[in-house]
Amino acid sequence: MGHRHLSASSMLEAAGAIPDPFPSELRWPFGHLDSLNRDEFRESAYEIFFVACRSTPAGMRLSATATPGPAGAGDHHQLGGRGRVGAATPTRPEAGAGGAKNMAVTSRLKRALGLRARKTRPMVGAGKAGGRPMTSAEIMRRQMGVTEQSDSRIRKTLVRSLVGPQMSKKVESLVLPMELLRHLKPSDFSDANEHCAWQLRQLKVLKAGLVSHPSVPLDHGNPAAPTLREMIRSAEQQTRLLDVRALSAAVMALSWRSVDVCRWADGYPLNVHLYLSLLRAVFDARDETAVLDEVDELLKLIKKTWNVLGLNKMIHNVCFTWLLFEKYVVTGQIEPDLLSATLAMLEQIRGDAEKQADLLEPGYLRILAVTLASMHSWAEDKLLDYHEAFGAQDSMGAMDNVVSLAVSAAAMLSQDVPSPFVAAAAGAVVDNVVDTGATGGHLPAGSSSSFSAGEQVERYIKSSVRHAFTKLHETGTAGKMDSMIVEVDEDPCETLMYVAAQTKDMARVEKEVYSRVLRQWHPCPIAVAAATLHDCFGALLKRYVSRMACSLSSESVRVLHAASKLDKSLLQMAAEDDPAYSIRQQIMTPYDVDSTIFGLVKGWMDERLTIGAECVRRARDSESWNPRSKAEPYAQSAVDLMKLAKVTVDELLEIQVAGQPPACRQELLQHLVDGIDQLVHQYALLVASCGSKESFFPPLPPLTRCNQDSKLVQLWKKAAPPCQVGIDNQLAALNCGGVDIVTSSKPRLVVSRSRGDQAVRPATSRGTQRLYVRLNTLHYLLTVLHSIDRALSSAPAPQRRRRARSSAFDHARPALDAAVLHVSELSAYRLVFLDSADVLHQALYQGSVSEARIRPALRVMKQNLTFLASVLSERAQPPAVREVMKASVEAFLTVVLAGGSGRAFSRADYGAVEEDFASLKRLFCSFGVAEEVAEREAAQAEGVMALMALSTEKVIDEFLSRCASTSMAPDELSQPPMAVPLTTRRWSRSDANTILRVLCHRDDEAASRFLKKAFDLTKRR
């Protein structure tokens, strides 16, 4: 006889307690039994089902006689010679006679649950003379995928177990796996492998029901449990043959631990897994979403297993409810009748729980809690993002059912199930989340009267709207861009405009579509959605405001006004749905775009000013004061600072701050002007912090009187050129024999002598060149500042312009002017007293006037001025040249009045000195200094040099008269030694110290005697 199997798809559908594949979004609530696979569960469940039907009253048969056909129904097996045991009610012929044309629902259960009729009738066998309806037992065997050979073996076992003295034994008192192991032999199987697999399955069922998941907890001292484990382990490893008698003793000891009840398959979750394997047979194998019309008869037979599995009607209702819900999810949620039936069953379960609230057993509460928790978790996963789960307009019916399921499950968990069971169910759900990779749900507290469907639905609205808004921002922007673009710099303005438009459309959909479903449980769902969208967009607006501040433009302001329109639209939508909602919840604070624009512009300006302050700091720490280029001979830091200032002002003037009062606009502009003014003022002080001109003055030698040389010495000086040596630490040794000299502390200077002729090639020092860069930088700052001022003057709003200009840059301009003067002086004194020292104040008139005239110094000065003119900008040259002239005059007077022991002048030298000084003036006039300016600057020095033309007696008289005009007493003038007048270095003919120095350098006897008598000055050596 051939053995007919179901198709692969049917086998998968009917096998095991956990469907395969099992949806990842669904949590299996009844624990995992890894020791038994789906086929083993299916076969063991059918064995229990078959034996349980033994309790059917006499006169019923296990299977009806039928001709073998393609459906696999044919053999009839009878038990005993007298009467037939355990029959199933045959199906009604008229129910399937019409096939697909007759769609009437014949099942009372299906009518009660609102389930549709099947389109086909697959459970019809074909006889020789035609077909006949299959019996319920045959349908059950086929649905569970049991072969005729397996069915025959069960029948043999049942006959052998109940013959003879055991006829009166109840089926409930049989440990079915043990009976099968005792009565079936290897010869009953097709091969040894099949028998071994079957035997191992029976042992696993015994282990699961008696050791792993017993209904009554095991005692630690019970020796039967370890004995059974060891025997099963030996059988699995095939180390020795199974001792059926010893196994039976251990099984009996464990199954009859209760006084009057045999317990071997009623432990949780084994019993539920087995029962679900049976219940799945009520679904059509060819149409997975349809329940068989024979469901009433099948359930009547399946219920006979309650005693063996330790179940009752209430647990059956929970299991059947889960099965309807599971099938709805597993089949892709395409049959809404299954979810509607689930809701109807939940109502029945809740009614039963309320009627027997005080009589509910812990086992039932545990199963109910985990089932409700899993359903609630699945429904919440959908509703927490219902925009994604129910995006189509035609899915609102499904959404209505899912919301009903979530609310009903949450209400039952909160009000009908004690808190400990809810907490345990939450843990079970979390464990299954880890196993399946799904997300967890929020379970309400058990046995609480404070459950509110409105609060739960409000949480769904807020969560789903936030998810939809986040997805809109993250994927919506990318979706509207070209897919060929690999990397795009996201523009905040473009993003906000897009999100604002999509948010308004989302609010419309929420109002027109979703609120119709959600209003059944919440009085104002539109207001909740509007408030959530308002909060989400407000958070996004705040996040992007900082980014917009870095690139503020008129487009940014336009975007902000679009946000203002969205703000008003959402506020109006919430007010229409519930006028008091926004006030009560206090979560819809208006965006106040006008203040945002003002703060945004001000923050943008502050950011720019902060960058400017950082630029000033970097210049203070690391600016080298090298020219940026020949075309731009100023510091890079100044270019960065002023470019930032100019661009910021231009951009601010381009921004149209619509809706802002004139006072705010004026405040913003003045804020920026004050910030730039402060930055330029600080930079000007930085440029000017480069030292003082006094640091370049040579030290004054002590006052002495000239020593008259003998005639022999005078003849020797005329015969040999003098070897001139400086008198102070900064004096550089000059060449006395034609050797080139380069000093380390001064710029390179080459002096060569060849046959009495002298050639000088100077070079301006690096330090002086850096001072020139500072000067150029200061004038560059003044130029750009003037350009900014013009831009402000040409801006609209005359009233604002007048107010801003009255105090614009009132700190920067004076600081820049003062810095220009200071750096010009410093560079001039460095050029004269340091860079040109070797040819000017250290060499001029050294030894004698006639041998050390000013012509070499003028050559050097001319070349230095030429270099100055080539480096400095056009605006910086005139003041710089004037300051060089002042320094040169100062150096010339220093030579005449404080030249040290190497210089002495006679009255006859005046003409040469006057001529040299005139040449110096002409040099500067040739470099752009006006004659009147040159005369004014030289007037003081010419007055001092005029003393050189006077006789010694007249110079002494003028000195005494100047002393008398000061606070010096007359007795001090008549009683030598006199006090030396204070040195001020302000050389003037009216200064007593200046006249005294003229006498100290006068090379005649009268001056020497006067200085000896009046001041007791020593002679020069």
Side-chain angles (χ1 to χ4, degrees):
M1 178 183 297
H3 302 289
R4 178 172 179 78
H5 296 269
L6 289 178
S7 64
S9 61
S10 299
M11 289 288 290
L12 286 174
E13 193 64 33
I18 304 178
D20 186 18
F22 191 72
S24 60
E25 69 270 17
L26 189 60
R27 291 82 171 165
W28 176 257
F30 305 116
H32 295 272
L33 295 175
D34 299 330
S35 60
L36 293 165
N37 58 38
R38 294 182 301 112
D39 291 338
E40 291 171 338
F41 261 115
R42 173 177 50 80
E43 294 173 2
S44 297
Y46 182 76
E47 290 170 354
I48 295 174
F49 166 79
F50 187 91
V51 175
C53 290
R54 157 78 171 74
S55 60
T56 307
M60 302 299 290
R61 53 194 174 90
L62 281 169
S63 66
T65 303
T67 304
D75 283 357
H76 72 278
H77 301 273
Q78 299 180 352
L79 295 179
R82 298 177 299 168
R84 305 184 180 106
V85 295
T89 306
T91 58
R92 298 179 179 86
E94 64 274 10
K101 296 180 181 180
N102 186 4
M103 301 298 292
V105 177
T106 60
S107 168
R108 288 178 298 172
L109 177 64
K110 292 180 67 173
R111 285 199 302 269
L113 297 179
L115 295 173
R116 63 177 174 85
R118 287 182 298 156
K119 295 181 181 179
T120 58
R121 288 282 301 196
M123 298 305 174
V124 177
K128 293 180 180 179
R132 67 158 180 82
M134 299 175 64
T135 65
S136 299
E138 292 171 333
I139 294 174
M140 193 69 182
R141 180 175 66 80
R142 176 172 178 172
Q143 284 289 92
M144 297 197 70
V146 178
T147 64
E148 293 181 0
Q149 184 179 8
S150 297
D151 186 77
S152 175
R153 286 197 295 265
I154 301 172
R155 293 175 185 275
K156 290 181 180 179
T157 303
L158 186 60
V159 171
R160 295 169 183 173
S161 299
L162 300 180
V163 295
Q166 300 183 14
M167 282 293 294
S168 61
K169 191 176 183 180
K170 294 183 178 180
V171 174
E172 292 82 357
S173 64
L174 295 177
V175 181
L176 181 58
M178 192 66 248
E179 295 297 326
L180 292 171
L181 289 171
R182 182 184 294 116
H183 294 290
L184 292 182
K185 303 298 186 288
S187 59
D188 295 323
F189 297 87
S190 60
D191 54 47
N193 291 333
E194 183 182 5
H195 174 261
C196 183
W198 172 87
Q199 186 183 68
L200 188 59
R201 173 172 64 83
Q202 302 299 335
L203 293 175
K204 288 180 180 180
V205 172
L206 289 174
K207 180 181 178 181
L210 297 175
V211 179
S212 300
H213 306 284
S215 58
V216 179
L218 291 172
D219 297 332
H220 293 293
N222 192 331
T227 300
L228 181 61
R229 287 195 189 97
E230 182 60 30
M231 294 180 70
I232 294 174
R233 186 182 302 109
S234 299
E236 291 175 347
Q237 298 175 358
Q238 297 182 356
T239 57
R240 60 182 178 181
L241 295 176
L242 181 65
D243 187 350
V244 176
R245 187 169 297 178
L247 177 65
S248 177
V251 168
M252 291 300 107
L254 292 172
S255 61
W256 286 94
R257 286 180 295 138
S258 298
V259 177
D260 55 349
V261 181
C262 177
R263 297 177 178 271
W264 67 274
D266 57 348
Y268 177 82
L270 175 65
N271 56 349
V272 175
H273 278 250
L274 292 169
Y275 194 64
L276 288 176
S277 297
L278 293 173
L279 287 179
R280 286 199 178 91
V282 303
F283 281 92
D284 195 337
R286 298 185 181 182
D287 184 0
E288 297 178 354
T289 62
V291 176
L292 297 176
D293 290 341
E294 298 84 1
V295 61
D296 295 343
E297 290 82 0
L298 294 179
L299 288 180
K300 186 181 298 184
L301 295 178
I302 292 173
K303 291 177 183 179
K304 296 181 182 297
T305 63
W306 287 0
N307 290 336
V308 176
L309 298 178
L311 305 179
N312 54 35
K313 179 181 179 182
M314 297 182 69
I315 296 178
H316 161 79
N317 288 340
V318 174
C319 293
F320 190 66
T321 302
W322 167 259
L323 190 65
L324 293 169
F325 170 71
E326 177 195 89
K327 186 63 68 172
Y328 171 73
V329 178
V330 168
T331 56
Q333 307 166 42
I334 60 176
E335 181 53 68
D337 289 351
L338 292 175
L339 189 56
S340 299
T342 301
L343 294 173
M345 288 298 300
L346 281 179
E347 290 299 322
Q348 181 178 347
I349 292 172
R350 188 168 192 182
D352 295 340
E354 290 175 351
K355 291 177 183 178
Q356 305 180 33
D358 298 333
L359 303 176
L360 298 178
E361 298 178 356
Y364 168 74
L365 291 174
R366 177 173 56 181
I367 296 174
L368 176 63
V370 295
T371 304
L372 293 174
S374 182
M375 292 181 175
H376 180 266
S377 179
W378 176 86
E380 276 218 334
D381 284 348
K382 297 289 183 183
L383 296 174
L384 290 174
D385 193 6
Y386 60 75
H387 289 82
E388 176 69 20
F390 310 102
Q393 182 102 16
D394 55 359
S395 61
M396 291 303 101
M399 179 179 174
D400 190 359
N401 285 337
V402 173
V403 177
S404 299
L405 175 65
V407 172
S408 298
M412 294 177 68
L413 286 170
S414 176
Q415 298 172 355
D416 301 328
V417 180
S419 298
F421 292 96
V422 175
V429 169
V430 170
D431 291 340
N432 286 302
V433 166
V434 175
D435 293 338
T436 61
T439 57
H442 171 77
L443 294 181
S447 299
S448 173
S449 60
S450 61
F451 171 76
S452 172
E455 293 180 0
Q456 185 170 347
V457 171
E458 181 172 328
R459 184 165 57 86
Y460 298 155
I461 297 173
K462 292 180 178 179
S463 174
S464 184
V465 168
R466 287 193 179 96
H467 278 92
F469 185 86
T470 302
K471 191 172 299 181
L472 165 69
H473 178 233
E474 292 178 351
T475 62
T477 304
K480 70 183 179 64
M481 293 182 179
D482 189 354
S483 60
M484 296 299 293
I485 299 177
V486 177
E487 185 176 354
V488 179
D489 292 333
E490 185 180 354
D491 181 10
C493 297
E494 182 183 358
T495 301
L496 274 182
M497 287 293 291
Y498 175 79
V499 174
Q502 294 298 315
T503 301
K504 190 173 182 179
D505 186 65
M506 190 187 304
R508 178 190 59 80
V509 173
E510 196 72 32
K511 179 179 180 179
E512 296 176 359
V513 179
Y514 294 113
S515 64
R516 297 178 182 179
V517 175
L518 300 173
R519 196 174 294 279
Q520 302 175 52
W521 295 275
H522 197 286
C524 47
I526 300 176
V528 176
T532 306
L533 284 173
H534 187 274
D535 181 63
C536 291
F537 189 84
L540 182 66
L541 182 64
K542 290 180 181 178
R543 180 157 35 119
Y544 273 86
V545 158
S546 59
R547 296 182 58 186
M548 292 169 62
C550 300
S551 57
L552 189 64
S553 62
S554 56
E555 181 70 13
S556 305
V557 178
R558 186 177 71 85
V559 170
L560 290 174
H561 283 296
S564 179
K565 293 180 181 179
L566 176 64
D567 175 33
K568 295 174 183 177
S569 175
L570 294 176
L571 287 171
Q572 181 181 0
M573 184 182 297
E576 291 174 354
D577 194 41
D578 180 16
Y581 181 83
S582 58
I583 299 175
R584 185 176 73 249
Q585 298 294 330
Q586 296 181 357
I587 61 174
M588 293 191 72
T589 305
Y591 296 153
D592 193 9
V593 172
D594 291 340
S595 298
T596 301
I597 293 176
F598 181 83
L600 185 63
V601 175
K602 190 173 183 298
W604 168 74
M605 291 190 302
D606 290 340
E607 179 69 21
R608 294 294 182 88
L609 294 175
T610 301
I611 296 174
E614 178 64 20
C615 181
V616 175
R617 186 194 64 78
R618 286 199 307 268
R620 181 167 49 249
D621 295 341
S622 60
E623 181 59 66
S624 60
W625 302 108
N626 289 318
R628 192 165 183 258
S629 66
K630 289 184 177 180
E632 298 177 338
Y634 27 78
Q636 178 66 45
S637 57
V639 176
D640 296 340
L641 177 63
M642 298 313 292
K643 182 179 180 181
L644 177 70
K646 185 69 168 64
V647 169
T648 303
V649 171
D650 292 343
E651 290 180 356
L652 179 63
L653 295 178
E654 289 178 2
I655 294 174
Q656 301 297 326
V657 191
Q660 293 292 324
C664 293
R665 297 197 298 270
Q666 176 186 339
E667 181 182 350
L668 289 172
L669 182 61
Q670 191 61 50
H671 178 72
L672 179 59
V673 169
D674 292 343
I676 296 175
D677 182 43
Q678 183 180 5
L679 289 176
V680 177
H681 177 261
Q682 293 176 359
Y683 195 89
L685 295 180
L686 169 65
V687 177
S689 61
C690 51
S692 63
K693 64 180 182 179
E694 286 78 9
S695 62
F696 299 109
F697 287 158
L700 296 177
L703 294 175
T704 57
R705 52 195 176 94
C706 289
N707 184 17
Q708 299 299 311
D709 292 332
S710 64
K711 292 182 180 181
L712 179 62
V713 173
Q714 292 176 3
L715 291 174
W716 179 78
K717 287 182 179 180
K718 291 180 180 180
C723 184
Q724 301 163 353
V725 181
I727 62 171
D728 54 83
N729 294 333
Q730 292 186 357
L731 216 62
L734 296 179
N735 193 324
C736 295
V739 181
D740 293 344
I741 301 173
V742 178
T743 61
S744 61
S745 62
K746 301 179 181 65
R748 176 178 294 275
L749 174 64
V750 179
V751 182
S752 62
R753 291 182 181 270
S754 177
R755 296 182 181 178
D757 198 9
Q758 177 174 279
V760 182
R761 181 168 53 84
T764 304
S765 67
R766 287 290 184 184
T768 306
Q769 293 179 35
R770 292 189 180 96
L771 291 176
Y772 291 164
V773 175
R774 289 178 184 252
L775 268 179
N776 285 334
T777 301
L778 291 170
H779 284 281
Y780 168 76
L781 293 174
L782 283 169
T783 301
V784 179
L785 209 61
H786 182 66
S787 172
I788 293 174
D789 204 10
R790 285 201 311 270
L792 294 174
S793 302
S794 61
Q799 181 180 5
R800 180 189 67 186
R801 182 178 68 246
R802 288 195 299 271
R803 291 185 181 180
R805 281 182 56 81
S806 63
S807 58
F809 312 124
D810 53 353
H811 293 89
R813 292 180 185 276
L816 288 173
D817 293 338
V820 167
L821 178 60
H822 175 72
V823 177
S824 297
E825 284 185 346
L826 191 65
S827 62
Y829 276 81
R830 179 184 176 92
L831 176 67
V832 171
F833 284 96
L834 184 63
D835 299 352
S836 306
D838 293 335
V839 294
L840 191 56
H841 76 272
Q842 292 180 3
L844 183 62
Y845 304 146
Q846 226 9 290
S848 69
V849 174
S850 60
E851 296 294 334
R853 297 290 294 273
I854 200 172
R855 179 171 295 181
L858 292 180
R859 292 175 188 165
V860 174
M861 290 302 300
K862 182 177 181 179
Q863 294 178 11
N864 285 339
L865 289 174
T866 302
F867 179 78
L868 180 149
S870 67
V871 172
L872 288 182
S873 62
E874 185 176 351
R875 292 187 59 186
Q877 290 178 25
V881 173
R882 284 198 301 270
E883 293 300 326
V884 174
M885 180 179 177
K886 289 181 182 180
S888 299
V889 171
E890 179 76 19
F892 197 91
L893 288 178
T894 301
V895 169
V896 172
L897 300 176
S901 60
R903 293 181 175 95
F905 303 95
S906 65
R907 187 176 178 184
D909 293 330
Y910 171 72
V913 173
E914 184 183 25
E915 181 182 351
D916 289 345
F917 190 73
S919 300
L920 184 64
K921 288 193 298 181
R922 286 194 298 272
L923 172 65
F924 286 102
C925 290
S926 67
F927 278 90
V929 178
E931 290 186 6
E932 59 272 14
V933 175
E935 291 297 333
R936 185 171 59 251
E937 296 295 340
Q940 195 84 351
E942 289 175 342
V944 173
M945 287 184 292
L947 292 172
M948 299 175 64
L950 300 178
S951 63
T952 303
E953 289 77 11
K954 288 184 178 181
V955 176
I956 292 173
D957 291 341
E958 188 163 346
F959 170 74
L960 293 175
S961 65
R962 292 300 177 188
C963 291
S965 63
T966 62
S967 58
M968 188 176 294
D971 55 346
E972 293 181 359
L973 295 175
S974 60
Q975 297 179 3
M978 299 169 55
V980 177
L982 295 177
T983 302
T984 61
R985 296 201 76 148
R986 295 186 181 92
W987 313 126
S988 171
R989 185 166 181 172
S990 62
D991 178 43
N993 185 269
T994 302
I995 302 174
L996 178 61
R997 289 181 177 276
V998 172
L999 289 172
C1000 289
H1001 287 78
R1002 177 61 64 93
D1003 189 12
D1004 64 13
E1005 187 64 28
S1008 179
R1009 285 198 306 269
F1010 173 76
L1011 294 174
K1012 173 65 176 176
K1013 180 181 178 180
F1015 299 101
D1016 196 20
L1017 296 180
T1018 60
K1019 283 186 177 183
R1020 300 178 185 176
R1021 295 181 180 179

